[in-house]
């Protein structure tokens, strides 16, 4: 089993991997699990914004190479790091129950007690996400937003010890997994495996959380249809209530001045965890879930595609094309 991250960036990846291993050990007490820490391109390139690197598999390529060579049997990822189209031969064999998916604002010690709205004019806020920057620029036009890279420890140290940033934006789930609740994926973990390795698929399939799975299928279908990635500001959020899956999505210009957002919903039954699923090739948006019925999975995927088409009909393609061009030009 592998968790991505180099020695400096391993803490969160190791915590996430350990949580999956602990669950598997409880389910399969007779099995032994060896954890191998590995580095990825995304871990090593820390002086360039993610949107500028131009590599779609920043946090997965090296790990998938190890999977392909049978050096490891499964890899634990933050689901947000996995492209919506996986290379041939790989699949997401499990999606664990999602933690808090929200973003968190962490302030420089001298601004404790402030909010983004009350930060001084031209205060600099750090984020590694074009989506976060575009959304916040639209609402807090008095602030400046700059790229900040590195693992959580590095970014918090940059915030606390340097004077460049007044605040930084981080994923709440990462802070909580690290035990830093006082400073408050996203939120969902995905386990990637070899697509044809049925033994491993059966092993990790029990980790699927049905509701999180269906929500992530809808989200990934939306992103795939819009060709959303690190180089464009695209956001999506789901909520399940009273048998209805609500999907909200949006696209933004780089400066946040232009945006299109909408919400759609569909009636989707969340099945019991171990109901029989499809017997044929069941991959949807890179996810294999043989123990979840096909119907709810297809309904979730169709919801994502429908919302993407709705946004495209309202002009989303033009906003995204301009955003890509501007991002490539800078």
């Amino acid at each position: 089993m592998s968790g991505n991250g180099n020695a400096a960036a391993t803490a969160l990846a190791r915590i996430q991997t350990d949580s999956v291993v602990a669950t598997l050990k409880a389910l399969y007490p007779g099995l032994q699990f060896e954890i191998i820490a590995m580095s990825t391109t995304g871990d090593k390139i820390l002086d360039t914004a993610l949107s500028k690197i131009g590599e779609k598999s920043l946090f997965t390529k090296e790990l998938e190479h190890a999977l392909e060579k049978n050096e490891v049997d499964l890899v634990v990822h933050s689901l947000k790091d996995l492209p919506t189209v996986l290379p041939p031969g790989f699949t997401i064999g499990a999606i664990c129950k999602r933690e808090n998916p929200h973003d968190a604002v962490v302030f420089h010690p001298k601004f404790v007690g402030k909010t983004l709205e009350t930060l001084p004019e031209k205060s600099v806020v750090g984020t590694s996400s074009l989506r976060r920057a575009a959304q916040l620029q639209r609402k807090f036009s008095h602030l400046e937003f700059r790229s900040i890279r590195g693992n959580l420890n590095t970014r918090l140290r940059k915030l606390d010890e340097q004077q460049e940033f007044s605040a930084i934006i981080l994923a709440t789930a990462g802070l909580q997994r690290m035990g830093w609740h006082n400073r408050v994926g996203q939120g969902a973990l995905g386990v990637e495996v070899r697509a044809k390795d049925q033994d491993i698929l059966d092993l990790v399939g029990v980790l699927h959380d049905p509701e999180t799975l269906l929500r992530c299928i809808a989200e990934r279908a939306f992103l795939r249809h819009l060709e959303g990635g690190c180089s464009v500001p695209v956001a999506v959020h789901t909520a399940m209530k009273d048998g209805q899956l609500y999907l909200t999505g949006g696209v933004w210009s780089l400066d946040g001045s232009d945006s299109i957002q909408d919400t759609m919903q569909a009636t989707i039954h969340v099945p019991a965890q171990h109901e029989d699923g499809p017997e044929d090739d069941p991959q949807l948006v890179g996810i294999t879930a043989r123990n979840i019925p096909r119907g709810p999975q297809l309904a979730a995927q169709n919801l994502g595609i429908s919302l993407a088409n709705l946004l495209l009909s309202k002009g989303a393609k033009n906003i995204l094309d301009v955003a890509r061009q501007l991002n490539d030009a800078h």
Side-chain angles (χ1 to χ4, degrees):
M1 176 179 290
S2 175
N4 61 327
N6 56 32
T10 298
L12 180 57
R14 182 58 187 256
I15 287 171
Q16 294 177 163
T17 302
D18 284 348
S19 70
V20 171
V21 170
T23 303
L24 289 173
K25 282 183 175 179
L27 292 167
Y28 306 105
L31 294 183
Q32 297 294 318
F33 296 89
E34 178 187 2
I35 298 176
I36 301 173
M38 301 178 66
S39 296
T40 67
T41 302
D43 297 319
K44 298 170 184 175
I45 303 177
L46 299 177
D47 58 352
T48 306
L50 290 175
S51 59
K52 303 292 185 183
I53 298 175
E55 169 60 62
K56 289 187 176 181
S57 302
L58 284 175
F59 296 101
T60 61
K61 182 187 293 184
E62 290 82 358
L63 308 180
E64 287 168 343
H65 185 60
L67 266 177
E68 187 175 35
K69 294 168 63 179
N70 292 306
E71 294 174 352
V72 299
D73 294 309
L74 47 140
V75 180
V76 179
H77 300 276
S78 290
L79 190 60
K80 65 181 179 59
D81 293 333
L82 282 170
T84 55
V85 179
L86 298 182
F90 302 104
T91 189
I92 301 167
I95 294 180
C96 305
K97 186 174 178 61
R98 172 175 270 159
E99 293 191 28
N100 191 326
H102 296 96
D103 295 332
V105 183
V106 183
F107 290 93
H108 187 282
K110 69 181 179 182
F111 290 122
V112 170
K114 292 279 190 180
T115 65
L116 290 178
E117 190 170 15
T118 59
L119 280 176
E121 189 86 12
K122 301 299 183 183
S123 292
V124 176
V125 177
T127 175
S128 61
S129 164
L130 280 182
R131 184 264 304 169
R132 288 170 176 157
Q135 287 178 304
L136 292 170
Q137 186 72 65
R138 182 178 179 87
K139 187 169 183 178
F140 305 103
S141 58
H142 67 293
L143 303 177
E144 295 182 5
F145 295 88
R146 295 179 192 168
S147 174
I148 183 170
R149 293 291 316 285
N151 59 75
L152 283 178
N153 303 65
T154 299
R155 281 187 260 184
L156 288 170
R157 186 168 62 251
K158 288 179 179 179
L159 173 68
D160 291 341
E161 298 178 3
Q162 301 175 13
Q163 300 302 313
E164 179 179 2
F165 298 102
S166 300
I168 58 176
I169 312 297
L170 299 170
T172 299
L175 290 167
Q176 291 178 335
R177 288 180 183 134
M178 291 291 285
W180 295 335
H181 300 79
N182 63 320
R183 302 218 63 168
V184 187
Q186 343 251 49
L189 296 181
V191 180
E192 186 179 16
V193 302
R194 292 179 292 273
K196 300 302 182 182
D197 194 332
Q198 192 57 51
D199 289 340
I200 298 298
L201 277 167
D202 289 342
L203 178 80
V204 303
V206 296
L207 299 176
H208 273 307
D209 177 72
E211 180 177 320
T212 303
L213 167 75
L214 296 175
R215 292 172 62 180
C216 288
I217 287 176
E219 293 164 3
R220 288 171 64 83
F222 172 81
L223 293 171
R224 176 188 280 191
H225 204 65
L226 285 180
E227 298 181 2
C230 290
S231 62
V232 289
V234 180
V236 63
H237 175 71
T238 52
M240 186 76 76
K241 184 178 180 181
D242 298 329
Q244 296 289 310
L245 178 58
Y246 296 85
L247 181 67
T248 299
V251 302
W252 286 260
S253 58
L254 287 187
D255 63 1
S257 61
D258 198 6
S259 71
I260 298 174
Q261 303 172 62
D262 217 316
T263 298
M264 295 184 73
Q265 67 189 79
T267 301
I268 295 181
H269 166 65
V270 178
Q273 189 163 2
H274 302 297
E275 292 185 21
D276 291 335
E279 294 301 325
D280 58 346
D281 183 8
Q283 274 205 46
L284 291 178
V285 289
I287 300 169
T288 297
R290 291 186 181 273
N291 57 345
I292 305 294
R294 186 73 158 182
Q297 294 187 55
L298 287 172
Q301 177 182 251
N302 291 338
L303 178 62
I305 294 172
S306 296
L307 181 61
N309 282 331
L310 177 61
L311 265 59
L312 289 171
S313 72
K314 294 184 174 184
K317 185 178 187 303
N318 182 61
I319 292 177
L320 293 177
D321 286 346
V322 171
R324 288 190 182 95
Q325 294 168 5
L326 291 174
N327 185 55
D328 291 342
H330 285 79

